[in-house]
Structure formats: structure tokens, C-alpha cells
Amino acid sequence: MLHTCSTHAPQKCSNAPHMLHTCFTHAPHMLHNAPHMLHNSAPMIHTSAPVCQNGLDAMTYLVDRMGGDFRPYLQTVLPPIIDRLGDSKDMVRNKAQLLLMKILERDVVTAQQLFDKLAPAFSHKNGRIREEVLTTLVTTINEHGIQSLLVSRLIPCIVKSLSDPMSTVRDAAFNTLVDIYRHVGERLRHDLTKKHQVPPSKLPALLARFDEIREEGGLLPSALSGD
């Protein structure tokens, strides 16, 4: 249904969420088969922003309804979700972010499993994707806790992003490390100075920001518990 809509009559896709809602409300037994309708992910990769948004909305609805039953389909839908993180439209990128958060909220995968799959996005050729995956990481940590991730696995990717050609990615990487410091405290300072090659132009400012947070009492309980 959505495939036909997206390829032959994009203007009708504004009704897609309503059609899905009607279908699932009146025929719940069809819910298990719903991912097959979206298997080719056509609405999410359509060049029209409204069609992309509706495709992401529909997928978010499916994840919300199916929960863990959506797990077998994640490998198929994740690549187009990542692509939409690099969309030129803010709304499309935001909806892709919301879909990723819904995947975590409904326990389709754990946060660590998701970021194991998202790892290539840190070096994606599209700079917006490199920036958005950092934003996704911060949101995940703030919503699900630092304990939901093995952050040490991701630090090398974040440090590398400090030297990204795009200033927005560099800034996002800097801010991501600052947010992580709030959660883990001095362990991060130690790792950055002893284990990772932080660009010399970035390290002093980063450590100074850490000092400010500590002096202002901005460390979270998870950071203080390790002191």
C-alpha cells in the first residue's frame, strides 16, 4: 500500500498514518505482516520530504505497536533511517531521530546493540549523518543512562570527529565529550589524556570545560560514584 503510494501517487501519502491506524485498529491480526508492506523502505528514501516524513511516521507507528517483534526487520530498515539522518530537511532528520529513540524505547534492541550497528555512521561520507549520530548518542545517554552503553567503545570515534572537516561535526563531538564527562567524571579526563590522541588544539579547551563543570557541581551521581 505504501509502496504504491510513494511511487505512483506521492500526494496521497499524507493519508498513510491514517490508513495504517485504520488497518491496525480494525484488523490487529495484520500487524505482524505490516513490515512486509514496508520491506523495501521506499517511503523513507523517497526524494520528497513529505513522503519521507510519512514513511518515518509509519515506521515509528509499527515499532511502537510491535515492540520486540520488530527486531527481525531492523537490519532492513536501519540503513534508510541512517540515510534520513543526513537529509537536508530538519523535519526529516528529526523524525529519523525519533524513530531511533522509539526503537530503544520499545526494546527492539539495547542501546549498545543499536550503536554497534550505527558505528559506521561516525565516518559516513555525509557530514550531516556524522553530526546526527553524535546527537543521537547524547540523547540516548540522557534518556537511557550512561550505563546503557559501553562508552569506551565509542570514544575513539568521537575523538576522531574532533578533527572532522565540518565545523558542525567538530562542535558536536566536543559537546558530546562534555556531556559524557557529566556522566562519567574524571575517568574520561584520564582516558582522553592517556589513551587517545585528542587534537592539541582541542584538548586545553576540553579540559577547561571539564574543570568548569566540576567546579560548578555539574557532575551527575554516576560520575561521582566512581570518585
Side-chain angles (χ1 to χ4, degrees):
M1 180 166 57
L2 284 179
H3 173 70
T4 301
C5 181
S6 65
T7 55
H8 298 294
Q11 69 276 12
K12 295 182 180 179
C13 276
S14 59
N15 294 323
H18 173 71
M19 289 188 290
L20 282 171
H21 177 73
T22 301
C23 175
F24 298 154
T25 299
H26 297 288
H29 64 279
M30 295 178 65
L31 186 59
H32 184 71
N33 294 322
H36 295 291
M37 296 188 294
L38 300 171
H39 190 71
N40 64 8
S41 304
M44 288 197 293
I45 61 176
H46 200 280
T47 55
S48 166
V51 176
C52 286
Q53 292 175 38
N54 287 323
L56 290 163
D57 283 340
M59 195 66 70
T60 301
Y61 181 82
L62 284 173
V63 171
D64 192 40
R65 291 298 300 269
M66 295 180 69
D69 290 335
F70 193 85
R71 195 169 295 121
Y73 309 102
L74 183 62
Q75 198 65 31
T76 299
V77 303
L78 194 56
I81 297 173
I82 293 173
D83 284 344
R84 291 308 92 206
L85 289 175
D87 198 274
S88 60
K89 301 293 185 181
D90 289 345
M91 183 61 72
V92 174
R93 296 197 302 274
N94 290 341
K95 286 183 179 293
Q97 289 270 5
L98 289 172
L99 176 50
L100 289 173
M101 291 303 102
K102 181 62 69 174
I103 286 169
L104 292 179
E105 176 190 324
R106 298 293 289 126
D107 295 324
V108 177
V109 290
T110 66
Q112 185 60 53
Q113 289 169 337
L114 178 61
F115 275 89
D116 286 344
K117 297 177 185 297
L118 289 177
F122 285 96
S123 56
H124 198 281
K125 63 182 180 180
N126 185 323
R128 284 197 182 96
I129 292 177
R130 299 195 301 272
E131 179 183 355
E132 290 292 328
V133 73
L134 289 162
T135 301
T136 303
L137 175 58
V138 171
T139 303
T140 300
I141 290 172
N142 289 332
E143 292 192 4
H144 298 274
I146 195 71
Q147 73 284 349
S148 66
L149 286 161
L150 293 174
V151 176
S152 58
R153 289 188 186 178
L154 300 172
I155 295 299
C157 296
I158 304 170
V159 169
K160 183 179 179 180
S161 297
L162 289 171
S163 301
D164 195 273
M166 288 181 57
S167 61
T168 54
V169 178
R170 296 195 300 271
D171 291 344
F174 186 98
N175 293 331
T176 298
L177 289 171
V178 169
D179 273 294
I180 291 173
Y181 177 77
R182 296 181 192 276
H183 288 268
V184 304
E186 291 301 299
R187 287 173 290 167
L188 180 60
R189 185 195 300 266
H190 176 271
D191 287 350
L192 291 179
T193 55
K194 302 295 184 182
K195 299 180 181 180
H196 302 285
Q197 295 183 338
V198 179
S201 61
K202 297 290 185 180
L203 186 59
L206 199 55
L207 297 182
R209 186 71 185 105
F210 290 174
D211 289 339
E212 290 176 7
I213 292 170
R214 189 176 182 88
E215 291 168 5
E216 294 168 358
L219 292 175
L220 298 172
S222 57
L224 298 173
S225 63
D227 287 352

